[in-house]
């Protein structure tokens, strides 16, 4: 899944200008290390603002100003050798973005025999300074702590260290997602499901933690857009349904045609408001146009969800955010809740009525007719799918007592087995701590009853996202 992001990475190295006339070739050697870091970072994300080696207070102020002017989202501070904290602080203090300290040794170890065989102690000191990246890190950490700089450390090697570069890649991915959320436009169409108190949310807290924009939409707008859909457009969309879904033979053509019209109208609604995600629900009071629009929305919303615009039902705004996070990580993010517990197989059945993330489905998603949408107005067609078998991650955006948000995460396996064939998304999940302990542990943190499920184990990336956003992250398993 392609991620559209305006993320900019700031990069700088550090040194001490006093060293350069003392130790011949040291500066050039460290600049070579910098070139290596930039090259490897560019393989992860190409938009890098590299201000080079900062070795004096004047250069530090200039670098900080450039990072601020260039609007970087995250800074990688490569510790090439010892440097004074006074030459580093102005860079990151002015930029006011999270800092990742790269404490990377150029090699696994100094060649002690060759080093000690050198006869010039000045040259020996210069050689040591090319390896002493670990030396100033405690000084920087101390100052950053006391000043209030949000920083994180990666300790490893410049070369032949896949673990280090995987960690760097995850920080970049997390920064991309933070950037996507900061510019995301979330559409909220309709109103809350009446009485479902856990999903009620303080929208200002969503702004405070993620940024972005929330657009409140009326169902009437979708109903009006449906009137503008031509027969040819509806026919083309119906053909797309047949190509995308496994449409069961008992699905009424009339309901499929309604869903096709709504799907086209939904895409126009999304384009008009530049939406990157959406939450919706509509109870209805007898307006047939509005009810038809909402009753026929599931297939269109499933297509949107599979194509980078995740849609959460029941006006679950917090979960629309969780779904967008998962999708931005390339993991999908399907709307789900507890369905039942299977103590025989020690699994939890989870799913939801309404749209599903068909791009992460196990096999082709079925479309089934429903005579009633349980607890909701209308009837029509719905999707039935299971999430791909294999590793999965659950994510919930939790509104905490007293205010503020946190991220709740768990890793599991989607496993094969019987599901409830009722025209809903439905999967079987096995947890390392067992079904009982997972349910108790997950519920203890007070999430809403919905969550987002994506493929792969990505809790380490979500933890980094939380660190960048200054959000608490709790992992159940």
């Amino acid at each position: 899944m392609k991620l559209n992001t305006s993320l900019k990475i700031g990069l700088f190295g550090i040194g001490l200008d006093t060293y350069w006339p003392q130790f011949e070739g040291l500066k050039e050697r460290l600049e070579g290390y910098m070139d290596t870091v930039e090259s490897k970072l560019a393989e992860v994300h190409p938009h890098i603002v590299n201000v080079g080696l900062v070795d004096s207070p004047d250069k530090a102020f200039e670098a900080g100003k450039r990072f601020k002017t260039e609007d970087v989202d995250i800074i990688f501070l490569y510790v090439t050798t010892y440097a004074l904290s006074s030459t580093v602080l102005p860079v990151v203090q002015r930029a006011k973005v999270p800092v990742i300290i790269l404490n990377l040794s150029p090699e696994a170890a100094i060649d002690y025999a060759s080093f000690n065989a050198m006869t010039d102690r000045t040259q020996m000191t210069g050689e040591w300074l090319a390896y002493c990246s670990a030396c100033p890190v405690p000084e920087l950490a101390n100052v950053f702590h006391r000043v209030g700089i949000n920083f994180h450390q990666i300790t490893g090697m410049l070369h032949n260290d896949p673990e280090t570069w995987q960690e760097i890649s995850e920080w970049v991915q997390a920064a991309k997602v933070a950037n996507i959320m900061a510019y995301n436009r979330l559409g909220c169409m309709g109103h809350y499901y009446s009485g479902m108190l856990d999903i009620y949310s303080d929208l200002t807290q969503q702004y405070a933690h993620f940024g972005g924009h929330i657009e409140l939409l009326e169902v009437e707008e979708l109903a009006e857009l449906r009137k503008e859909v031509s027969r040819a457009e509806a026919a083309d969309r119906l053909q797309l349904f047949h190509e995308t879904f496994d449409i069961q033979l008992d699905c009424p053509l009339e309901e499929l045609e309604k869903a096709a019209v709504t799907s086209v109208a939904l895409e126009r609604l999304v384009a008009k408001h530049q939406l990157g995600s959406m939450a919706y629900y509509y109870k209805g009071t007898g307006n047939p146009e509005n009810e038809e629009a909402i009753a026929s929305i599931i297939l269109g919303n499933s297509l949107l969800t599979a194509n980078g615009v995740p849609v959460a039902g029941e006006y679950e705004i917090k979960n629309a955010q969780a779904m967008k996070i998962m999708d931005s990580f390339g993991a999908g993010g399907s709307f789900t809740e507890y369905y039942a517990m299977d103590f025989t197989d020690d699994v939890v059945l989870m799913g939801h009525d309404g749209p599903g993330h068909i791009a992460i489905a196990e096999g082709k998603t079925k479309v089934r007719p429903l005579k009633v949408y349980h607890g909701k107005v209308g009837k029509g067609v719905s999707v039935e799918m299971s999430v791909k078998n294999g590793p999965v991650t659950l994510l919930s955006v939790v509104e905490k007592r007293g205010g503020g948000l946190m991220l709740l995460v768990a890793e599991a396996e989607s496993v094969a087995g019987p599901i409830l064939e009722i025209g809903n998304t439905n999967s079987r999940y096995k947890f390392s701590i067992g079904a009982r302990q997972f349910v108790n542990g997950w519920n203890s943190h007070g999430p809403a009853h919905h969550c987002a499920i994506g493929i792969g184990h990505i809790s380490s990336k979500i933890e980094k996202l939380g660190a960048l956003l200054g959000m608490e992250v709790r992992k159940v398993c």
Side-chain angles (χ1 to χ4, degrees):
M1 301 174 188
K2 186 178 179 181
L3 302 182
N4 296 317
T5 172
S6 57
L7 177 76
K8 284 186 180 180
I9 296 173
L11 172 65
F12 75 110
I14 58 174
L16 186 58
D17 56 2
T18 304
Y19 288 157
W20 313 146
Q22 293 180 323
F23 307 105
E24 184 180 355
L26 177 61
K27 182 181 180 183
E28 291 74 20
R29 185 172 178 181
L30 301 182
E31 288 173 336
Y33 296 163
M34 278 290 297
D35 291 341
T36 299
V37 170
E38 181 180 19
S39 177
K40 289 190 173 185
L41 261 182
E43 294 175 6
V44 181
H45 185 73
H47 303 300
I48 299 172
V49 179
N50 183 0
V51 298
L53 204 60
V54 175
D55 58 8
S56 68
D58 288 345
K59 287 185 180 179
F61 283 110
E62 291 173 7
K65 183 176 181 179
R66 184 176 172 199
F67 282 154
K68 187 173 183 178
T69 302
E70 295 268 8
D71 192 27
V72 300
D73 298 270
I74 187 172
I75 291 173
F76 283 90
L77 189 180
Y78 175 39
V79 184
T80 52
T81 188
Y82 177 74
L84 294 167
S85 51
S86 63
T87 67
V88 179
L89 182 60
V91 184
V92 299
Q93 193 172 31
R94 187 169 178 80
K96 290 182 169 54
V97 297
V99 179
I100 310 298
I101 298 176
L102 300 180
N103 175 15
L104 306 181
S105 174
E107 302 293 342
I110 296 173
D111 185 336
Y112 303 105
S114 297
F115 182 89
N116 290 323
M118 297 173 69
T119 57
D120 186 322
R121 295 199 181 279
T122 298
Q123 289 183 357
M124 293 175 75
T125 301
E127 181 71 13
W128 159 63
L129 288 172
Y131 280 86
C132 77
S133 57
C135 178
V137 176
E139 178 178 341
L140 299 178
N142 173 282
V143 172
F144 288 176
H145 264 301
R146 291 163 66 190
V147 174
I149 300 296
N150 180 9
F151 77 96
H152 311 278
Q153 303 175 64
I154 298 176
T155 298
M157 297 180 292
L158 184 58
H159 300 288
N160 304 316
D161 191 350
E163 181 180 344
T164 285
W165 287 96
Q166 174 61 29
E167 190 173 0
I168 291 172
S169 176
E170 288 194 357
W171 279 111
V172 173
Q173 291 176 60
K176 285 182 181 180
V177 175
N179 179 271
I180 288 170
M181 297 300 291
Y183 290 96
N184 184 53
R185 295 174 64 92
L186 166 64
C188 299
M189 184 172 65
H191 54 80
Y192 288 113
Y193 193 115
S194 181
M196 200 175 279
L197 304 182
D198 61 325
I199 64 172
Y200 295 1
S201 184
D202 179 350
L203 299 190
T204 304
Q205 287 298 322
Q206 301 298 324
Y207 281 110
H209 289 77
F210 298 114
H213 172 72
I214 299 175
E215 187 72 25
L216 303 182
L217 306 171
E218 301 291 347
V219 175
E220 283 80 3
E221 185 173 6
L222 178 61
E224 286 301 310
L225 287 171
R226 292 184 80 248
K227 297 175 182 177
E228 301 173 6
V229 178
S230 69
R231 290 185 178 180
E233 289 172 323
D236 287 344
R237 186 52 50 95
L238 191 58
Q239 178 62 34
L240 179 61
F241 285 170
H242 281 283
E243 294 170 0
T244 305
F245 299 102
D246 180 9
I247 298 177
Q248 303 302 288
L249 296 177
D250 56 347
C251 289
L253 178 59
E254 178 186 4
E255 297 299 338
L256 292 170
E257 289 174 338
K258 291 177 183 177
V261 171
T262 302
S263 178
V264 175
L266 276 168
E267 289 188 358
R268 289 180 180 170
L269 182 73
V270 165
K272 178 180 178 181
H273 296 285
Q274 303 174 57
L275 303 182
S277 56
M278 190 167 75
Y280 77 100
Y281 175 71
Y282 178 72
K283 186 191 308 186
T285 57
N287 182 318
E289 292 181 348
N290 288 359
E291 288 186 10
E292 183 171 301
I294 295 300
S296 59
I297 207 169
I298 295 173
L299 299 194
N301 279 346
S302 296
L303 288 179
L304 286 175
T305 299
N307 286 284
V309 185
V311 182
E314 295 177 354
Y315 210 72
E316 178 45 299
I317 291 164
K318 296 190 296 294
N319 210 46
Q321 298 282 62
M323 292 166 68
K324 185 65 178 179
I325 289 170
M326 295 297 284
D327 195 69
S328 298
F329 272 121
S334 202
F335 191 40
T336 198
E337 65 186 7
Y338 296 148
Y339 260 24
M341 296 187 67
D342 183 332
F343 291 99
T344 301
D345 293 337
D346 194 30
V347 298
V348 182
L349 276 67
M350 302 181 75
H352 209 281
D353 64 331
H357 202 308
I358 59 177
I360 62 170
E362 180 71 32
K364 208 168 186 180
T365 298
K366 291 183 172 63
V367 176
R368 293 191 186 276
L370 297 180
K371 294 181 179 180
V372 62
Y373 293 142
H374 64 274
K376 300 177 175 68
V377 172
K379 62 182 179 61
V381 290
S382 186
V383 297
E384 182 180 285
M385 58 156 273
S386 293
V387 170
K388 288 179 181 177
N389 293 161
V392 295
T393 300
L394 287 67
L395 175 66
S396 178
V397 173
V398 181
E399 192 158 345
K400 299 190 293 185
R401 180 180 179 181
L405 305 176
M406 76 173 196
L407 301 176
L408 182 62
V409 64
E411 292 180 341
E413 300 289 323
S414 174
V415 297
I419 62 167
L420 310 179
E421 298 177 6
I422 55 175
N424 293 176
T425 66
N426 192 200
S427 300
R428 299 164 61 86
Y429 299 112
K430 185 172 283 289
F431 298 88
S432 60
I433 58 176
R436 296 173 191 259
Q437 191 173 338
F438 161 73
V439 168
N440 288 340
W442 184 267
N443 296 350
S444 71
H445 296 287
H449 68 282
H450 301 126
C451 68
I453 290 187
I455 56 176
H457 286 166
I458 65 166
S459 66
S460 61
K461 297 178 184 179
I462 293 171
E463 288 168 344
K464 291 177 174 63
L465 174 64
L468 294 178
L469 296 176
M471 294 180 67
E472 178 184 3
V473 181
R474 293 291 186 94
K475 183 178 178 181
V476 175
C477 58

